[in-house]
Amino acid sequence: MSADIRRRTHLLCSDQCQCLRMFALVGIVTLLTLIYFVWTRWDVIKLTWKLPGPLPLPLVGAAYNILGKNHEDYLEMVEGMFKKYSSFHHFWLGPRFYLLISDPKLIQSVLFAQEALNRDDVYDFVSLLGDGGGLLTLKGQTWKNHRKNLNPCFSLKILQSYMPIFNEQAGIMMKNMNARLNKGSFNFYEFMDACTLDMICQTTLGTEMNIQKGQNQDYLYACNNLFELITIRIFRPWFHSDFLFKFSDFHKTTEKLRKITSNFVEKVIVNKASSDEETKGHKSERRLSEDELTSYKKPQIFIDQVMEMHKEGKLETMVDVKAHVGTNIATGFETSALISSYCVLMLAMHPKIQQKVYEEIEGIFGKDCKNPVVEYEHFNRLEYLDRVLKETLRLFPVVPYFARKVSKDFNLAGHKVPAGVRIMISMITVHHDKEIWGEDAEKFNPDNFLPERVQTRHPYSYFPFGGGIRNCIGMKYSLMSMKTMIIHLLSNYRLSTELRMEDLRTKIDVTLKLINKHMVSIEAR
């Protein structure tokens, strides 16, 4: 009996020793990892001490601030940090160190810095919309080469060739909206969403998707839901790891939605390549010069131009072609739809402003014009509409935050910013800053963009399409399509809403979404 007790005691002591050795090994590995992290990130840690920001904890950093929060809370949290810690502070999202800035002078410095040219790695998640993220994710010289090659695709003459498509699709939206006449409020975004997707698919692919006629709804659904999943991944640092993300249900849903968007673009490209193969040996259609486009009415479809670049060797692979085409669609239609829907809501809330825009439109097209043929030249005569759109973009910047990753040490506000640091720019904070826009910064006032007021502000007090070296390539396209839709809309309807500015609640799904929805009523003029 005593021998058995001694044997059990020996085994127990042996198990305890093994446990102690295991805990000791884990402790040593953790300590060595911590020492290595401190050693390799010493410059970043020193910067943490010099700047204000939430207290970082080992491994999680300050990510404890976002635990249990939803997409509406993310906005409140970030804006709360700017109020608490100033316009230049830090935030550790897990092991990633971010500098958060909202000072126009610092923003200008970052946006023009070659050292901060690359977007943050989290933009790689946008590649879920297709094979690669196109201009969104390319880095360094590769981005510069692709941007230089794609710039001609967005020349003014080419964009002017899209005006017939903009008018056609806006006209279809008017016909669809007639069913909502005098029937109470409805979510206006659903109409804008379908219209802008039809526009961008026809100008990008030369394909009529007929979203507004009830076709290809799965593509629209997939695109909209992918943005929400991307936001979830960005704000949950444990999902930044591809390995961990693959074990989540979000990954399965993401891949399912991505397949829908990716397969559609792939199908169009394959059909386009087959068509080009059939015409081989015949005189091929070339891209037109700027002078030729002046008198040429046929829309210069984006995919035709990109495929031509591929043939010329300016885009090396078909993966590049697919990435640019897919990204152009996915990022273009939703931003235009959101801006237009916010603008419509603002006009519905402010009937005097709406009437002033209508009178400006009436002065060009006449009182009884229900189907205006909008030309690019008309935009120069719609000065007040331009101010209304700018004020909409000030209050509701579609992409409220964006981030850059430092590729080489550089100086910012007297601080050395080491390579690898991320810089997050808060557009929404700047656009609502009372020191810049006055005590009525939260009110909708197109007069904020009177020339004499614009001249008194820093140029980076307002930058809805980004700025600096890496500004938005599709800015002109977006503004032209939006103005066309609003002209058609106000030529046909009076807008009203029961919502008020103080009622509006927003959230972030990569883009700025309205929780209340864009609830508007319409009546015939």
Side-chain angles (χ1 to χ4, degrees):
M1 185 71 176
S2 59
D4 184 56
I5 292 174
R6 284 197 299 273
R7 183 176 62 82
R8 291 181 180 180
T9 302
H10 175 74
L11 290 173
L12 181 61
C13 290
S14 178
D15 288 343
Q16 289 176 338
C17 288
Q18 288 182 16
C19 289
L20 287 172
R21 284 196 295 269
M22 185 179 297
F23 281 122
L25 181 61
V26 170
I28 292 170
V29 170
T30 303
L31 180 61
L32 289 174
T33 302
L34 183 61
I35 291 172
Y36 176 78
F37 180 81
V38 172
W39 177 263
T40 56
R41 306 294 297 277
W42 182 244
D43 285 347
V44 178
I45 292 170
K46 285 195 297 183
L47 191 56
T48 304
W49 293 338
K50 292 177 181 178
L51 295 174
L55 177 69
L57 299 177
L59 299 178
V60 299
Y64 56 85
N65 285 280
I66 64 176
L67 293 176
K69 287 183 167 55
N70 58 34
H71 292 202
E72 181 181 6
D73 297 332
Y74 294 154
L75 279 168
E76 293 179 2
M77 180 197 75
V78 175
E79 293 313 295
M81 288 197 301
F82 274 107
K83 291 176 181 177
K84 182 177 181 179
Y85 297 116
S86 82
S87 61
F88 187 25
H89 63 276
H90 68 74
F91 185 88
W92 283 87
L93 186 60
R96 299 185 181 208
F97 179 77
Y98 284 86
L99 292 175
L100 277 64
I101 62 174
S102 65
D103 182 290
K105 294 179 181 177
L106 297 183
I107 290 169
Q108 185 177 27
S109 297
V110 171
L111 293 182
F112 281 92
Q114 292 288 343
E115 298 89 344
L117 175 66
N118 295 335
R119 297 187 188 273
D120 185 11
D121 295 340
V122 295
Y123 285 87
D124 292 342
F125 304 152
V126 181
S127 65
L128 300 171
L129 299 174
D131 294 341
L135 289 179
L136 272 177
T137 59
L138 291 175
K139 296 176 173 59
Q141 190 60 46
T142 304
W143 174 83
K144 290 181 181 179
N145 293 339
H146 281 243
R147 175 64 185 253
K148 181 180 178 181
N149 290 330
L150 289 171
N151 276 334
C153 299
F154 293 87
S155 73
L156 181 57
K157 295 299 181 182
I158 285 179
L159 295 181
Q160 284 177 306
S161 77
Y162 296 155
M163 289 305 301
I165 293 174
F166 294 160
N167 279 291
E168 177 191 2
Q169 295 301 335
I172 293 172
M173 182 170 69
M174 296 308 103
K175 291 177 181 178
N176 290 343
M177 287 180 59
N178 283 333
R180 302 297 312 187
L181 271 171
N182 306 315
K183 291 187 178 179
S185 62
F186 60 96
N187 185 11
F188 204 91
Y189 176 75
E190 293 177 359
F191 286 85
M192 284 291 191
D193 206 21
C195 183
T196 55
L197 184 53
D198 269 339
M199 284 179 175
I200 204 163
C201 283
Q202 199 169 344
T203 57
T204 300
L205 305 171
T207 300
E208 293 187 24
M209 286 188 66
N210 297 317
I211 297 288
Q212 298 190 90
K213 297 178 181 179
Q215 300 176 28
N216 293 301
Q217 294 290 320
D218 56 341
Y219 183 86
L220 182 64
Y221 170 83
C223 283
N224 281 326
N225 283 275
L226 275 168
F227 283 108
E228 181 176 358
L229 292 169
I230 290 167
T231 303
I232 290 172
R233 192 173 182 189
I234 289 173
F235 279 93
R236 299 185 184 182
W238 52 92
F239 283 154
H240 290 182
S241 164
D242 290 337
F243 176 76
L244 294 178
F245 186 65
K246 286 180 180 178
F247 288 98
S248 71
D249 291 334
F250 294 119
H251 176 262
K252 297 175 184 177
T253 306
T254 297
E255 287 302 302
K256 180 180 178 181
L257 296 174
R258 177 190 177 279
K259 188 174 181 180
I260 295 172
T261 59
S262 183
N263 284 351
F264 175 79
V265 176
E266 176 106 22
K267 181 179 178 182
V268 173
I269 291 175
V270 169
N271 290 343
K272 182 65 182 174
S274 299
S275 175
D276 289 347
E277 190 67 27
E278 289 176 8
T279 60
K280 191 176 285 186
H282 299 282
K283 187 177 179 180
S284 60
E285 230 181 81
R286 60 184 175 85
R287 281 183 292 159
L288 301 175
S289 69
E290 291 288 309
D291 291 335
E292 289 172 315
L293 278 167
T294 303
S295 58
Y296 196 70
K297 297 299 183 182
K298 183 180 178 181
Q300 298 299 287
I301 304 304
F302 181 76
I303 193 173
D304 292 337
Q305 301 170 71
V306 175
M307 292 287 282
E308 187 66 26
M309 289 179 191
H310 175 57
K311 293 175 186 176
E312 295 171 357
K314 293 179 180 178
L315 295 178
E316 294 181 2
T317 67
M318 289 303 293
V319 173
D320 293 329
V321 172
K322 184 178 177 181
H324 288 308
V325 170
T327 302
N328 193 53
I329 295 171
T331 59
F333 87 91
E334 196 208 33
T335 52
S336 295
L338 276 172
I339 298 167
S340 303
S341 298
Y342 278 118
C343 185
V344 166
L345 188 59
M346 291 300 99
L347 291 171
M349 279 187 189
H350 302 86
K352 290 182 180 179
I353 293 175
Q354 179 186 163
Q355 180 62 24
K356 193 170 179 179
V357 175
Y358 171 70
E359 289 172 1
E360 195 175 56
I361 294 170
E362 184 186 49
I364 298 174
F365 300 100
K367 186 175 182 179
D368 299 320
C369 182
K370 304 300 181 185
N371 189 28
V373 179
V374 184
E375 300 288 350
Y376 176 77
E377 291 73 20
H378 294 142
F379 298 146
N380 293 328
R381 298 170 58 187
L382 294 166
E383 181 269 340
Y384 193 67
L385 173 58
D386 189 58
R387 280 160 48 196
V388 166
L389 268 172
K390 287 178 178 177
E391 178 70 351
T392 302
L393 280 161
R394 179 185 74 82
L395 286 174
F396 307 100
V398 175
V399 182
Y401 310 112
F402 59 95
R404 300 289 177 82
K405 185 177 180 180
V406 178
S407 59
K408 185 179 179 181
D409 296 0
F410 82 114
N411 185 281
L412 184 64
H415 297 280
K416 175 190 172 185
V417 180
V421 167
R422 281 93 171 168
I423 301 175
M424 192 186 90
I425 295 171
S426 178
M427 187 187 300
I428 195 169
T429 306
V430 182
H431 285 191
H432 288 247
D433 191 339
K434 290 184 178 180
E435 291 187 8
I436 298 172
W437 302 95
E439 287 302 313
D440 292 333
E442 299 299 324
K443 293 183 178 179
F444 184 78
N445 181 15
D447 286 349
N448 279 320
F449 290 92
L450 287 168
E452 58 269 25
R453 295 192 184 183
V454 173
Q455 291 174 3
T456 63
R457 295 192 294 265
H458 190 280
Y460 279 82
S461 298
Y462 175 78
F463 51 106
F465 293 95
I469 303 170
R470 201 160 181 162
N471 64 341
C472 176
I473 195 171
M475 176 179 67
K476 288 181 181 178
Y477 177 102
S478 181
L479 289 171
M480 288 169 64
S481 64
M482 290 187 294
K483 289 178 181 179
T484 303
M485 289 186 290
I486 292 169
I487 290 168
H488 278 262
L489 178 66
L490 291 187
S491 295
N492 286 272
Y493 308 116
R494 289 186 182 88
L495 314 171
S496 61
T497 183
E498 295 179 358
L499 289 171
R500 295 293 175 262
M501 292 293 289
E502 57 270 23
D503 301 329
L504 301 184
R505 294 168 51 213
T506 53
K507 65 176 182 175
I508 183 169
D509 282 341
V510 177
T511 51
L512 189 69
K513 297 288 181 62
L514 190 60
I515 296 173
N516 311 69
K517 299 183 179 179
H518 304 262
M519 304 304 293
V520 173
S521 300
I522 59 172
E523 60 178 280
R525 285 200 179 272

